[in-house]
């Protein structure tokens, strides 16, 4: 990958993208009108320090030919106002385009967006899957000027990363573990996981934890056997983690354990009792009779 | 059960929705919107297509929280927002079909009268609509708490005829379980998005979700659930009191009516003796029949209790499993 050129003024802006945005862009790309090659739209988000967090996006209809570019500004403004009503803290942080390269007309569009926000970020989402990889790149623009005359605008690449909120991870997890075999047949059963199958997911979590512990112990074993050079930082980290496991005296542990189990069982008993009560009342018809 | 309804009645065009299919981006949008808006509860619209027995949800957008002071103003602002949004989305080829709405719920409380009213409102325009309930607090424990529900056909008809009383329910053979139908949800992604997801996701090592799930502290969650359950039981007792007051009122009214009727009869015999006309023995203005209280609240609260009980059972059994696992590990290390 080409080395990223940081802006000379020392402002290292970096971009973090939420996966919602990327999915929306893909969806918009699939739905584009027939004569269009690519889709453009506005990015909404928040800016904190030098990190631009892109949280939402919407598509703006546009028309481009080799000579000129037309962007539907009214649509853009209307959608922005609508979004402001729902999320007033989000602002325009840039724009996105699908496709693999930068186009000539991008400079003009970037110009338009720099009137809307101070450092518009241009995000290119590669939907053509060049090099069998799905790449997302972010650029910011720099004007090259000779004295007072503006010659050209240059797009400078900035680091771009995908972040997952904790809760999004759960949803994303489900989507991933749903399709291990993305063949056309399995699309019907894709991700048909029952959302409320909690026992199974607990087992899966435990399985993953066991996996991790096995890997860590393998690493320690190989370091001890001298096969792999040990890294003291990792060693210290492992030691710290293991020290966090509380060593309880047997009687203390038994007490805690029994207490918690009894709490859980009592609660289950109460809720079953309530349910049986309601069912009984319904059967006997006393739920709707006057209390004599 | 639904098939029997269909084949019984000669309504060939009405197919009931059996499953709901969500696109990945709808799922993520709902999650993002609901979790960011905590602790406020929010709603949004679902757009998509209905394909026979499956309802495909392809897009969604959020509703602004109603902050207007004037009720009428809020309604028209909401309607305007919706129209504008749909118009803009149509320009970019998004499916312009409303198929329902989503809302966030607090600890699983969603069975309210407003929900039923919204359903009925929607039902007048679109025959197949679904409501997606997302519970952000339960999802913080590591499992996605997403549910799709719709009203049962028989219940819709009953409420249209305004016969939400006990007799009405008994005639239609509906119990409190028959108000809502929960639909299974599937998540589907287009090929491009699948490629994206496969690229983005790291290998399945333990994630934050796992850490949440393996959390041993279950007491606060149970406490909150039990508290809500207690409130529900209080509500049910109130409902029962309403029913018993109704019966008492009816009994008292009967008594008064009998007394008045006797007096009237006496007067009439008197007047007949005086050769005057007999007064009518019925007086509709004085003894209006008291309306029977609706059983809807009662049934909704019972439904809510069932949901809480289910939640508690699930959480408690999960807690017991985790505790026993812990015990096993401790025994092994000792």
């Amino acid at each position: 990958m080409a080395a990223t050129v940081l802006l000379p003024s020392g402002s290292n802006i970096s971009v973090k993208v939420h996966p919602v945005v990327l999915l929306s862009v893909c969806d918009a790309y699939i739905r584009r009108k027939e004569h269009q090659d690519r889709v453009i739209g506005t990015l909404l988000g928040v800016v904190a320090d030098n990190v631009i967090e892109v949280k939402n996006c919407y598509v703006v209809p546009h028309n481009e030919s080799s000579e000129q570019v037309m962007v539907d500004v009214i649509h853009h403004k209307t959608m922005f106002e609508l979004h402001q009503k729902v999320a007033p803290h989000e602002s325009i942080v840039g724009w996105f385009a699908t496709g693999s390269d930068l186009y000539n007309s991008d400079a003009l569009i970037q110009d338009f967006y720099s009137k809307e926000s101070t450092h518009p970020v241009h995000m290119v989402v590669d939907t053509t899957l060049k090099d069998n990889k799905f790449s997302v790149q972010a650029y910011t623009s720099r004007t090259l000027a000779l004295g007072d005359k503006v010659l050209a605008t240059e797009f400078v690449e900035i680091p771009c990363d995908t972040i997952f909120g904790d809760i999004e991870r759960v949803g994303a997890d489900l989507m991933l573990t749903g399709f291990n075999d993305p063949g056309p047949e399995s699309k019907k059963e894709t991700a048909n996981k029952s959302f409320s199958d909690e026992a199974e997911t607990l087992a899966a979590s435990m399985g993953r934890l066991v996996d991790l512990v096995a890997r860590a112990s393998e690493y320690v074993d190989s370091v001890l056997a001298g096969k792999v050079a040990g890294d003291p930082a990792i060693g210290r980290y492992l030691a710290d983690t293991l020290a966090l496991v509380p060593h309880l005296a047997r009687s203390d542990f038994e007490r805690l354990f029994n207490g918690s189990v009894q709490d859980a069982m009592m609660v289950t008993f109460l809720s079953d009792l309530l349910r049986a009560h309601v069912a009984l009342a319904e059967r006997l018809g006393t739920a709707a009779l006057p209390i004599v | 059960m639904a098939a029997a309804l269909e084949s019984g009645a000669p309504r060939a065009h009405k197919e009931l929705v059996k499953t709901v299919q969500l696109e990945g981006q709808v799922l993520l949008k709902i999650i993002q919107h609901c979790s960011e808006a905590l602790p406020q509860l929010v709603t949004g619209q679902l757009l998509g297509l209905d394909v026979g027995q499956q309802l495909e949800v392809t897009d969604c957008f959020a509703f602004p929280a109603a902050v207007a002071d004037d009720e009428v103003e809020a309604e028209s602002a909401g309607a305007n927002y919706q129209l504008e949004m749909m118009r803009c989305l149509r320009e970019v080829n998004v499916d312009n079909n409303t198929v329902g709405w989503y809302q966030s719920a607090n600890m699983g409380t969603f069975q309210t009268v407003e929900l039923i009213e919204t359903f009925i409102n929607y039902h007048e325009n679109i025959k197949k609509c679904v409501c997606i309930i997302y519970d952000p607090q339960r999802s913080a424990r590591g499992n996605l708490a997403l549910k799709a529900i719709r009203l049962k056909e028989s219940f819709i008809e009953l409420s249209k005829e305004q016969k939400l009383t006990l007799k009405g329910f008994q005639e239609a053979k509906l119990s409190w379980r028959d108000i809502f139908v929960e639909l299974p949800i599937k998540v589907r992604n287009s090929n491009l998005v699948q490629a994206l997801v496969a690229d983005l996701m790291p290998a399945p090592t333990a994630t934050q979700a796992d850490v949440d799930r393996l959390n041993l502290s279950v007491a606060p969650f149970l406490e909150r659930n039990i508290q809500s359950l207690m409130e529900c039981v209080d509500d049910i007792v109130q409902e029962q009191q309403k029913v018993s007051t109704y019966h008492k009122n009816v009994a008292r009214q009967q008594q008064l009516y009998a007394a008045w009727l006797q007096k009237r009869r006496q007067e009439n015999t008197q007047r007949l003796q005086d050769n005057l006309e007999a007064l009518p023995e019925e007086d509709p203005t004085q003894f209006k029949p008291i309306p029977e209280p609706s059983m809807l609240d009662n049934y909704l609260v019972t439904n809510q209790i069932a949901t809480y009980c289910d939640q508690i059972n699930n959480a408690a059994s999960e807690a017991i499993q985790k505790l026993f696992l812990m015990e096993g590990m401790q025994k092994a290390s000792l």
Side-chain angles (χ1 to χ4, degrees), chain B residues 159-202:
Chain B
S159 72
K160 278 208 188 119
E161 299 166 17
Q162 290 290 316
K163 280 205 292 184
L164 290 172
T165 60
L166 180 63
K167 281 204 210 71
F169 271 110
Q170 276 178 344
E171 273 167 32
K173 291 204 187 28
L174 292 176
S175 80
W176 55 265
R177 262 177 240 109
D178 293 327
I179 301 187
F180 296 110
V181 175
E182 189 174 328
L183 304 167
I185 303 185
K186 278 198 294 188
V187 174
R188 172 212 103 92
N189 282 313
S190 62
N191 285 328
L192 187 59
V193 174
Q194 279 187 8
L196 164 67
V197 170
D199 205 36
L200 279 183
M201 298 294 169

Side-chain angles (χ1 to χ4, degrees), chain B residues 271-283:
Chain B
R271 289 167 81 107
L272 281 174
Q273 281 179 352
D274 297 337
N275 275 334
L276 287 175
E277 253 182 48
L279 291 170
E281 285 186 359
E282 298 261 333
D283 193 349

Side-chain angles (χ1 to χ4, degrees), chain A residues 177-218:
Chain A
T177 52
F179 31 80
N180 298 320
D181 182 8
E185 267 303 297
S186 70
K187 219 174 22 151
K188 287 185 217 130
E189 295 121 36
T190 310
N192 205 349
K193 303 277 258 176
S194 52
F195 274 68
S196 51
D197 207 350
E198 301 190 353
E200 188 190 299
T201 48
L202 185 65
S205 291
M206 282 304 294
R208 283 197 279 268
L209 188 63
V210 166
D211 226 0
L212 276 183
V213 171
R215 264 201 284 167
S217 101
E218 236 180 67

Side-chain angles (χ1 to χ4, degrees), chain A residues 2-14:
Chain A
T4 56
V5 178
L6 296 174
L7 295 182
S9 56
S11 61
N12 357 356
I13 311 183
S14 68

Side-chain angles (χ1 to χ4, degrees), chain A residues 16-222:
Chain A
K16 297 213 184 297
V17 183
H18 280 253
V20 189
V21 174
L22 294 174
L23 275 124
S24 305
V25 171
C26 290
D27 188 61
Y29 179 71
I30 299 176
R31 288 173 188 282
R32 69 190 185 289
K33 297 202 174 71
E34 281 172 6
H35 55 267
Q36 278 182 327
D37 273 333
R38 61 182 197 146
V39 190
I40 70 169
T42 316
L43 296 171
L44 300 169
V46 290
V47 184
D49 295 335
N50 272 328
V51 175
I52 300 184
E53 198 178 323
V54 181
K55 288 192 172 170
N56 209 346
C57 69
Y58 56 83
V59 177
V60 176
H62 80 298
N63 229 324
E64 65 184 350
S65 55
S66 48
E67 293 103 24
Q68 54 165 342
V69 172
M70 286 188 307
V71 174
D72 192 347
V73 183
I74 305 180
H75 185 272
H76 159 77
K77 286 223 181 312
T78 327
M79 285 292 269
F80 181 55
E81 272 166 27
L82 291 176
H83 270 111
Q84 281 290 75
K85 289 198 196 142
V86 179
H89 56 272
E90 289 180 6
S91 55
I92 300 184
V93 293
W95 62 290
F96 70 84
T98 59
S100 51
D101 284 323
L102 299 170
Y103 281 57
N104 280 335
S105 34
D106 284 356
L108 299 164
I109 309 182
Q110 181 79 359
D111 220 13
F112 164 68
Y113 274 98
S114 41
K115 293 193 208 96
E116 307 266 342
S117 97
T118 44
H119 285 295
V121 167
H122 171 44
M123 203 165 73
V124 174
V125 178
D126 185 7
T127 43
T128 55
L129 299 177
K130 205 164 65 160
D131 301 331
N132 286 338
K133 201 172 104 69
F134 199 107
S135 61
V136 175
Q137 288 158 324
Y139 301 91
T140 183
S141 68
R142 206 163 43 136
T143 50
L144 299 169
L146 197 62
D148 272 341
K149 220 165 64 141
V150 175
L151 283 177
T153 40
E154 180 190 353
F155 279 106
V156 177
E157 191 173 345
I158 50 180
C160 172
D161 219 357
T162 331
I163 55 169
F164 290 85
D166 285 336
I167 308 224
E168 285 169 332
R169 270 234 177 248
V170 180
D173 256 356
L174 264 165
M175 286 203 288
L176 173 68
T177 52
F179 31 80
N180 298 320
D181 182 8
E185 267 303 297
S186 70
K187 219 174 22 151
K188 287 185 217 130
E189 295 121 36
T190 310
N192 205 349
K193 303 277 258 176
S194 52
F195 274 68
S196 51
D197 207 350
E198 301 190 353
E200 188 190 299
T201 48
L202 185 65
S205 291
M206 282 304 294
R208 283 197 279 268
L209 188 63
V210 166
D211 226 0
L212 276 183
V213 171
R215 264 201 284 167
S217 101
E218 236 180 67
Y219 171 75
V220 168
D221 282 339
S222 56

